[in-house]
Amino acid sequence: MKNKIRVFRAEREITQEELANSVGLSRQTINSIEKGKFIPSVITAWKIAKYFEAPIEEVFKFEDEEIIKKELS
């Protein structure tokens, strides 16, 4: 899953630490999510999207729909 967290943070000039504190996560978790090393839960993704006042689909995007279909079957 790809995300635009870094882009959203840059537009608002906030640090990973500020975002983490606002959504109840650690800076390390935000870093891992940004780098694609950690896929957040739906609740966490929702909190991040809500913080940026954006739809989840605008902040997070699945890379390959085939992988999703395969995992769901």
Side-chain angles (χ1 to χ4, degrees):
M1 177 173 13
K2 292 185 179 185
N3 68 73
K4 294 183 179 178
I5 296 172
R6 186 172 296 186
V7 173
F8 278 91
R9 283 193 313 100
E11 289 172 354
R12 289 157 179 81
E13 299 180 345
I14 65 165
T15 65
Q16 288 180 340
E17 188 76 32
E18 290 170 317
L19 175 59
N21 289 337
S22 295
V23 297
L25 299 170
S26 70
R27 185 207 53 81
Q28 293 86 351
T29 300
I30 295 295
N31 185 48
S32 293
I33 294 170
E34 274 190 14
K35 291 182 176 183
K37 294 180 179 180
F38 178 75
I39 297 174
S41 69
V42 173
I43 299 295
T44 298
W46 178 80
K47 286 179 181 180
I48 293 169
K50 184 176 178 187
Y51 175 84
F52 291 123
E53 298 177 344
I56 290 177
E57 304 85 24
E58 196 173 319
V59 181
F60 296 93
K61 183 168 182 119
F62 289 105
E63 294 178 325
D64 188 346
E65 290 182 11
E66 273 306 307
I67 293 173
I68 297 166
K69 288 178 187 175
K70 194 178 220 180
E71 300 231 353
L72 292 175
S73 59

